[in-house]
Amino acid sequence: MAAKQREISVSEFFTKNKHLLGFDNPRKALLTTVKEAVDNSLDACEEAGIVPEIWVKLTQVKPNHFRVSVQDNGPGIVKNQIPLIFGKLLYGSKFHRLRMSRGQQGIGISAAGMNGWMTTGAPVKIISKIGANKPAHYFEIQINTQLNRPEIKNGKGEGVDIPAGPKGLEYLASQGIEWVATYEARDGVPERDVKSGTRVTIELAAKYQRGRGSVDEYIELTAIANPHVTLHFEDPDGNPRTYARSTRHLPPEPKEIKPHPYGVELGTLVTMFERTKAPTLGQFFVTSFSRVSSAVARRICERAGVGIRMSPKNVPSEKANGLYQAIQETRIKAPTTDCIAPIGEDLLLKGLRHVLPGEFYCAATRPPAVYRGNPFLIEVGLTYGGGGSVEKVSLDVLRELLSQTDARTLRQFLINTFDGLGPDAADRILAEAEAGTRVAPGKLKPKDIERLFESMRNISVGDGQVMQVLRYANRVPLQFKQRDCAITDSVIQTNWRAYGLSQSRGALPAGPVSVMVHIASVWVPFTSESKEAIASYPEIQKELRLALQAVGRKLGMYLRRRKRVQQEGERRSIFLRYLGEVASAVGEINGVDADGLYGQLLKVAKRKTAEADMKLDERGKAIADEHSAFGDNVIIVEQDAKTMFGERATAAPSGNSPRSATAG
Amino acid sequence: MAKRKPKTNERAAAKPMSELSPADRKTLTALTGLGERVIACAERSRPPHLDIPSRTLSNVRFNQSKRILEMGSGTNRRELFNLSQAKAYMQTLLVGTGAKRLIEQGKTTSLRGLYYMLKHTIEGTKEETFDEQGESDSMIEDAEVLLNALREELHLYAQKRGEMVGPITVIDSGDEIDCTRMGSGGYGIPSIVEPDRIQFRNCKATFILHVEKDTVWQRFNEDKFWRKHNCILTHGAGQPPRGVRRMLYRLNAELGLPIYCVLDNDPWGYYIYSVIKQGSINLAYESKRMAIPSVRFLGLRSIDFERCRLTPSVQIRLNDQDRKRAKQIAGYPWFANKRPWQKEIDLMLKNGFKLEVESLISKDISYVTEEYVPTRLAESDFLD
């Protein structure tokens, strides 16, 4: 037995545990690959102070074999670092520091490359250029899983240098290597050269499917949380899409901080004792941690009964435990929180408004807080109204979705594919389309598809819609394991009924609402390495709750106002209905001009209903400016006056207009 | 949107104002006043409203000296710009237009006729002005109190119910009707019995016997009770309609005929008696033209089960609703201080059963006409 014991390389471990990294199925593998590449690109751009522009392209090489190319306009990577970054697991700049960034461990992109090589045999291709007149480096890299070491395949193991200028571009073209060399002309800015950047191309066995948990969704979600980024996306069918940035302001650069004593575990503490260069424990504490003054250091040592002048290297293990306990018992100031860069309420609103249609937007950013010595911050944005994804889909896309889906029944297809579409709404759509619920999506006739499309347009799914929760950690969207996430828990535990939404116990509230929740932290507590769900720390739950309540209150105010306006509209339409009859009756009795009388009564009716409609806050007090009641960070998209005021349009074709009253 | 609704019926030649009767002129003036108030409100940009005298128990009081029910001064405001009242407001005005058309054309119609006359779809909607006749009926009653005009004055009549027979000649719209020669039927008392339509001639009767329903009336008529006892025999098919009540009132007031009632021994019978005597709550405004305080209650009495030695099989058990209603009636101010009535109602409650007039047939087919009523009359045995 003993002879069989041997060291396991990290790379080997991960090839056998692909699910830990998010490569458990072909569809998710595609997403994870795109995601790792884009996250890295964004981090690189922001650190270098460049306003990011990212090009993502998916190409289908063979059935179930895709090529993912992601290029950024970042600073580029110096030549000798390239193979290590892309060809060695756990190599990175981010693991050993406490600083808010998208990536954390340095596993992502190299694991994506490894997965690609394992499934297709194709190496990772990297082009990187660090300046306008500098040559671009071109590498084809493969990871040696035994040794966790990169192997360069091209240029006899040295890579290829491509000269700058037109000559280099010609070479790229001749080799069939893609490189976006110019920014598109936009908003009057002419075409410009892309001075620097990195392009990584990975081929992998994958499956492309739209809908929930797709690359399309990831791109859209990323655009919401990163309004300073321009994203170009080309799907395997060659449809290009661009999410243009809505601001050129980069998020403030997050500061790197030393760990806080409360956040350090015993084992880490012992390791730190061994590695430190500080000669005494007192100096060790002051230099290695944030928020520890010499007085605090002395207190810790006294409490543990250890001399402050003892060398950290000589601390016996039972004393280390004592010190660890002493740290927990000593009052230490909370860590500085300026190391966290929130998106900001203003940009959150911009991002949401840019991507999600709606009629009401609001946002709230909480002040930073601390869990286990790690500073973090919660931001929440909320969108109300607007059609769900069901109404946005085009007939062609629907056809394609139907052919791609692996759902067994049509009902399942609707629920799985479209965000915020509950079983109720799905049933109503199917009833309208006169389709059976158990029909296989692939077996629909073209005519049936058209009918399904029509009914998806006509049915107002607003009522059967479930709140859509968009989760982010350090600006990276989290698309899986929604149920296991502290964010989802907090959303469910919030009493949305108090804010005018309907909600059954233990479920997400219903209604055309999207909530975006962002947790920013120097160390985001994920439940697993694939970074899909946030762990539930009480401090985090509390901040989530407060942030959700803040946007909830604003939503409640808006919904109450909206309801009041709608009620006024209904009231008015009831009055208007009878005015004509009254006018002509009086006209007949008294022989006066009925039209004139109608006009006069109409004026009274309008005044009578206008008096009550907009100018009151929820306590019934008159307010001068209705927007001021909501406070800052709210966008209200003015609705078409006709639908708002119930000025009766005789034939309202859409199901979206406020239902006309039938009471009377 | 809705301008004038298209005229469905071209107005037939309207009579000029001068040719109308004084009553019609009065009604038309009231109607015009109603419209003018709306116009005045509209011109001053005020929301129009109607103050309708309230037809509820709380707005009815018992006039002790006249011994009839009278309507109080309470009113209900009906506003056009009030969600729950807007439709009713419109309907009230529609009834006004209907009345105006009827008066100008010198025609009358039934309540149902008016309902059809005014019922149409509101322009631009799928809503009907009136969904069922009940709606227009109650608007008509509102219009009566609002315009201080009787139903007859609005040229409306109700369904005809109730008959009479006896030694009297009635001139109905110019036709002479000898009520002794009605065969096995009777003279159907019309809905409108105002003096301009109906006059009395040759009355030889000495009193009026009013029975509750047609079946009992048939018994009396077949036995020619009215001939033997020289009386007028009427029935109201249950709760007597306005025409019957007004006819009784006129016979009593103009010819001085005393009226005796033979009604069932149950709360319903008591209430019929109460309405004939004091007037009804809903039509309190018409009490002065309909209530007959001198009417007498001849039977059936609660003591009749023992007095006439009836068999237990004719008893009908009182239900909870009967008991509740009986207590309510006993509490009416016009019954409250009448000892005999209190005893009567108490006894019925104690008996626990009610008796129909027809139960007397169990003794003998003509027991009621040959024994019961003659004895009561002879002994002056009745309740006031």
Side-chain angles (χ1 to χ4, degrees):
Chain A
M1 192 68 190
K4 287 184 182 168
Q5 306 278 9
R6 62 183 183 87
E7 198 189 6
I8 307 162
S9 94
V10 194
S11 321
E12 262 184 320
F13 174 76
F14 280 119
T15 52
K16 292 198 168 166
N17 292 284
K18 284 208 258 178
H19 57 277
L20 292 179
L21 295 168
F23 296 100
D24 27 347
N25 65 55
R27 182 165 182 238
K28 207 165 155 191
L30 185 69
L31 172 65
T32 307
T33 306
V34 171
K35 193 170 161 167
E36 294 296 348
V38 171
D39 288 353
N40 276 2
S41 291
L42 289 174
D43 272 344
C45 291
E46 281 166 22
E47 271 179 51
I50 297 169
V51 185
E53 184 141 351
I54 312 270
W55 293 264
V56 179
K57 187 176 178 184
L58 302 184
T59 327
Q60 182 156 14
V61 183
K62 279 184 283 203
N64 294 329
H65 182 161
F66 286 81
R67 184 186 300 126
V68 174
S69 301
V70 177
Q71 182 181 338
D72 61 49
N73 60 343
I77 306 166
V78 287
K79 186 175 176 181
N80 53 8
Q81 287 281 357
I82 295 173
L84 293 170
I85 289 172
F86 291 96
K88 188 171 167 67
L89 287 179
L90 295 173
Y91 184 90
S93 54
K94 300 169 190 171
F95 188 73
H96 297 288
R97 60 179 191 185
L98 282 176
R99 182 176 187 273
M100 183 184 152
S101 61
R102 293 181 174 80
Q104 280 180 348
Q105 293 100 333
I107 295 175
I109 192 66
S110 39
M114 186 176 79
N115 174 65
W117 177 74
M118 304 273 299
T119 54
T120 65
V124 183
K125 296 175 187 168
I126 299 116
I127 305 176
S128 193
K129 190 170 155 67
I130 53 172
N133 298 315
K134 300 272 172 56
H137 311 295
Y138 176 56
F139 285 98
E140 291 180 5
I141 295 168
Q142 176 184 318
I143 196 166
N144 183 327
T145 52
Q146 302 279 319
L147 301 172
N148 185 18
R149 216 175 59 186
E151 284 172 9
I152 301 164
K153 291 293 194 187
N154 64 340
K156 296 171 192 133
E158 291 296 320
V160 177
D161 278 5
I162 302 164
K167 222 172 162 188
L169 292 176
E170 269 170 40
Y171 175 79
L172 287 170
S174 69
Q175 294 291 304
I177 307 163
E178 280 184 79
W179 174 258
V180 181
T182 51
Y183 296 105
E184 275 172 44
R186 190 172 53 236
D187 298 336
V189 182
E191 231 179 51
R192 284 173 298 118
D193 285 348
V194 177
K195 290 189 184 119
S196 62
T198 305
R199 184 180 188 99
V200 52
T201 306
I202 296 171
E203 282 185 32
L204 72 160
K207 192 172 172 209
Y208 176 75
Q209 193 179 326
R210 292 185 179 85
R212 205 172 288 168
S214 65
V215 177
D216 303 55
E217 185 191 56
Y218 165 76
I219 300 281
E220 182 175 306
L221 292 174
T222 305
I224 293 174
N226 298 277
H228 59 290
V229 177
T230 294
L231 276 165
H232 304 273
F233 174 58
E234 191 178 324
D235 67 20
D237 303 326
N239 304 318
R241 207 173 324 152
T242 295
Y243 295 91
R245 64 174 68 84
S246 49
T247 175
R248 290 194 67 84
H249 287 286
L250 280 175
E253 193 184 348
K255 283 183 199 151
E256 191 171 336
I257 60 159
K258 283 180 245 166
H260 190 271
Y262 285 169
V264 174
E265 280 166 9
L266 181 54
T268 321
L269 190 65
V270 173
T271 320
M272 287 171 85
F273 284 151
E274 284 163 12
R275 289 197 183 156
T276 183
K277 293 192 180 85
T280 66
L281 267 180
Q283 279 180 26
F284 164 77
F285 276 119
V286 174
T287 53
S288 309
F289 292 105
S290 62
R291 294 301 201 187
V292 179
S293 61
S294 49
V296 172
R298 188 162 52 243
R299 246 176 283 149
I300 294 171
C301 292
E302 276 168 15
R303 199 181 282 264
V306 181
I308 194 164
R309 293 184 190 287
M310 184 187 265
S311 163
K313 296 201 164 52
N314 298 338
V315 175
S317 61
E318 73 274 7
K319 290 287 179 193
N321 193 16
L323 279 168
Y324 177 74
Q325 290 300 331
I327 288 172
Q328 309 307 317
E329 288 160 15
T330 309
R331 264 185 68 91
I332 305 170
K333 270 206 280 183
T336 49
T337 47
D338 53 0
C339 51
I340 301 204
I343 302 175
E345 291 168 341
D346 196 33
L347 287 182
L348 263 178
L349 288 175
K350 270 190 185 159
L352 283 171
R353 180 99 171 77
H354 216 59
V355 183
L356 297 179
E359 56 187 74
F360 175 78
Y361 301 85
C362 68
T365 298
R366 293 286 308 159
V370 175
Y371 82 93
R372 274 193 48 211
N374 295 314
F376 74 98
L377 174 150
I378 301 289
E379 297 180 276
V380 175
L382 180 145
T383 311
Y384 181 87
S389 46
V390 177
E391 282 157 51
K392 281 189 286 181
V393 75
S394 73
L395 182 55
D396 288 339
V397 173
L398 178 66
R399 275 203 196 101
E400 198 156 323
L401 286 169
L402 281 166
S403 63
Q404 284 166 357
T405 184
D406 45 15
R408 272 179 298 127
T409 67
L410 205 49
R411 184 166 179 270
Q412 214 173 46
F413 161 77
L414 288 172
I415 296 169
N416 291 348
T417 311
F418 299 106
D419 275 314
L421 184 79
D424 290 354
D427 285 340
R428 275 190 291 142
I429 289 175
L430 291 176
E432 168 87 4
E434 293 169 17
T437 46
R438 312 193 65 83
V439 178
K443 287 186 182 157
L444 283 182
K445 296 189 186 87
K447 214 170 209 172
D448 294 335
I449 296 179
E450 268 166 44
R451 215 165 45 209
L452 181 68
F453 177 70
E454 277 304 306
S455 53
M456 281 166 61
R457 281 288 139 104
N458 294 340
I459 294 279
S460 170
V461 293
D463 304 334
Q465 223 167 311
V466 178
M467 176 190 274
Q468 192 182 355
V469 183
L470 315 177
R471 298 170 295 135
Y472 292 88
N474 286 351
R475 294 166 184 256
V476 177
L478 310 178
Q479 291 167 275
F480 296 97
K481 295 200 179 163
Q482 171 162 332
R483 284 282 150 194
D484 304 333
C485 185
I487 292 176
T488 319
D489 274 356
S490 298
V491 172
I492 289 174
Q493 278 162 25
T494 304
N495 178 14
W496 293 95
R497 266 166 295 184
Y499 309 128
L501 296 177
S502 60
Q503 180 184 23
S504 16
R505 192 177 291 274
L508 289 170
V513 204
S514 302
V515 164
M516 157 188 181
V517 183
H518 177 219
I519 172 169
S521 177
V522 293
W523 190 261
V524 179
F526 289 112
T527 54
S528 77
E529 287 315 304
S530 59
K531 301 197 276 186
E532 285 160 347
I534 306 291
S536 304
Y537 284 96
E539 296 87 353
I540 294 179
Q541 285 175 320
K542 180 186 163 205
E543 286 298 313
L544 282 169
R545 194 183 71 235
L546 291 173
L548 288 166
Q549 284 170 345
V551 293
R553 277 192 295 276
K554 288 178 181 173
L555 174 69
M557 281 176 69
Y558 173 73
L559 287 182
R560 275 193 293 277
R561 196 193 80 169
R562 187 170 174 270
K563 198 170 164 195
R564 212 165 47 236
V565 169
Q566 203 169 323
Q567 276 171 348
E568 279 309 308
E570 286 175 10
R571 238 163 75 97
R572 180 173 293 175
S573 76
I574 289 175
F575 293 152
L576 293 187
R577 203 179 313 163
Y578 301 133
L579 278 192
E581 292 290 334
V582 168
S584 54
V586 173
E588 188 173 341
I589 296 174
N590 291 51
V592 295
D593 170 34
D595 292 345
L597 185 61
Y598 176 77
Q600 285 170 333
L601 287 174
L602 189 65
K603 236 183 273 165
V604 186
K606 286 205 168 142
R607 209 195 58 214
K608 189 88 180 155
T609 44
E611 268 171 7
D613 54 21
M614 305 279 281
K615 296 169 212 150
L616 308 174
D617 65 15
E618 75 265 43
R619 283 172 220 89
K621 273 195 232 153
I623 48 170
D625 176 15
E626 58 194 58
H627 274 269
S628 64
F630 288 101
D632 297 332
N633 305 311
V634 168
I635 302 177
I636 297 170
V637 184
E638 285 310 327
Q639 298 292 297
D640 184 1
K642 271 203 172 153
T643 55
M644 275 303 252
F645 290 101
E647 199 103 312
R648 207 171 69 238
T650 18
S654 80
N656 297 341
S657 62
R659 81 201 144 79
S660 58
T662 45
Chain B
M1 56 158 274
K3 293 184 190 109
R4 297 183 62 127
K5 69 173 198 296
K7 272 271 153 358
T8 42
N9 53 334
E10 279 309 313
R11 215 173 303 170
K15 285 190 194 172
M17 199 74 164
S18 54
E19 281 178 31
L20 297 172
S21 72
D24 284 346
R25 259 188 300 220
K26 185 191 123 220
T27 314
L28 275 189
T29 316
L31 270 173
T32 325
L34 187 68
E36 266 159 12
R37 286 206 290 281
V38 181
I39 297 168
C41 280
E43 274 169 358
R44 285 182 300 154
S45 293
R46 293 263 169 78
H49 65 84
L50 300 168
D51 284 323
I52 300 169
S54 138
R55 295 179 286 113
T56 54
L57 182 61
S58 59
N59 193 35
V60 162
R61 58 162 205 279
F62 182 59
N63 186 323
Q64 289 287 355
S65 59
K66 291 188 196 157
R67 293 193 296 152
I68 60 170
L69 283 175
E70 283 180 344
M71 194 159 61
S73 56
T75 55
N76 287 333
R77 178 157 289 201
R78 180 169 296 166
E79 294 170 323
L80 172 56
F81 295 118
N82 178 321
L83 275 194
S84 53
Q85 297 170 357
K87 186 166 189 185
Y89 184 94
M90 172 209 72
Q91 290 173 331
T92 317
L93 285 179
L94 280 182
V95 168
T97 63
K100 181 174 158 111
R101 263 183 257 162
L102 288 169
I103 292 168
E104 282 181 343
Q105 296 174 27
K107 292 185 178 163
T108 57
T109 181
S110 65
L111 299 186
R112 190 151 189 84
L114 187 76
Y115 163 66
Y116 278 117
M117 213 169 111
L118 302 176
K119 180 176 163 71
H120 60 258
T121 310
I122 299 169
E123 192 174 307
T125 68
K126 284 177 183 163
E127 194 178 341
E128 290 290 309
T129 49
F130 294 95
D131 285 327
E132 48 191 72
Q133 196 193 330
E135 286 177 26
S136 71
D137 287 359
S138 98
M139 290 307 142
I140 290 164
E141 283 172 4
D142 286 343
E144 283 177 65
V145 289
L146 184 64
L147 301 169
N148 196 21
L150 300 172
R151 186 175 297 178
E152 300 78 48
E153 291 170 341
L154 298 177
H155 285 221
L156 292 169
Y157 55 82
Q159 193 193 354
K160 181 165 66 183
R161 238 164 51 202
E163 288 163 305
M164 67 185 270
V165 69
I168 188 170
T169 301
V170 174
I171 319 284
D172 185 343
S173 309
D175 295 340
E176 274 193 31
I177 294 155
D178 182 352
C179 292
T180 58
R181 304 170 70 83
M182 303 304 297
S184 59
Y187 166 58
I189 302 168
S191 175
I192 300 176
V193 294
E194 294 311 299
D196 57 342
R197 282 216 189 177
I198 306 249
Q199 297 94 37
F200 306 128
R201 198 78 56 80
N202 298 333
C203 177
K204 298 198 186 72
T206 54
F207 69 94
I208 300 166
L209 186 73
H210 178 79
V211 299
E212 183 167 334
K213 54 208 152 185
D214 178 52
T215 49
V216 181
W217 185 88
Q218 295 281 14
R219 177 82 264 117
F220 280 89
N221 190 26
E222 199 177 293
D223 293 346
K224 296 295 174 219
F225 177 89
W226 51 272
R227 187 164 286 157
K228 271 179 234 163
H229 295 268
N230 196 25
C231 71
I232 295 171
L233 190 60
T234 60
H235 80 87
Q239 183 66 264
R242 289 193 210 201
V244 172
R245 285 173 57 200
R246 179 73 177 144
M247 177 68 98
L248 289 175
Y249 177 89
R250 284 192 60 203
L251 290 170
N252 173 263
E254 293 170 25
L255 306 176
L257 301 177
I259 301 171
Y260 302 97
C261 295
V262 176
L263 306 166
D264 288 347
N265 178 245
D266 61 12
W268 182 242
Y270 297 157
Y271 188 66
I272 291 175
Y273 174 70
S274 165
V275 167
I276 295 173
K277 195 173 174 76
Q278 275 92 24
S280 73
I281 292 161
N282 204 20
L283 298 179
Y285 55 95
E286 296 204 300
S287 296
K288 55 181 185 296
R289 322 169 36 246
M290 289 188 182
I292 314 158
S294 65
V295 71
R296 298 285 190 272
F297 185 84
L298 203 70
L300 270 51
R301 302 276 300 274
S302 306
I303 48 171
D304 286 340
F305 178 72
E306 298 206 343
R307 190 164 61 180
C308 306
R309 291 196 196 85
L310 298 174
T311 61
S313 46
V314 301
Q315 296 171 357
I316 302 173
R317 208 190 260 273
L318 287 178
N319 58 30
D320 289 347
Q321 212 184 338
D322 290 331
R323 283 198 189 84
K324 205 173 125 201
R325 189 89 186 93
K327 280 172 194 156
Q328 222 172 22
I329 289 169
Y332 282 157
W334 47 98
F335 281 131
N337 45 18
K338 285 184 178 166
R339 301 264 332 254
W341 266 108
Q342 295 296 326
K343 269 165 83 180
E344 168 71 25
I345 297 172
D346 271 353
L347 185 59
M348 180 186 71
L349 288 171
K350 215 155 76 189
N351 284 347
F353 57 80
K354 48 192 182 184
L355 294 171
E356 286 191 300
V357 179
E358 286 94 325
S359 66
L360 297 175
I361 292 174
S362 67
K363 297 282 288 181
D364 182 80
I365 293 174
S366 291
Y367 178 78
V368 65
T369 58
E370 285 166 8
E371 282 279 328
Y372 185 82
V373 173
T375 318
R376 296 288 96 77
L377 284 170
E379 292 175 1
S380 293
D381 178 15
F382 37 68
L383 289 175
D384 176 24

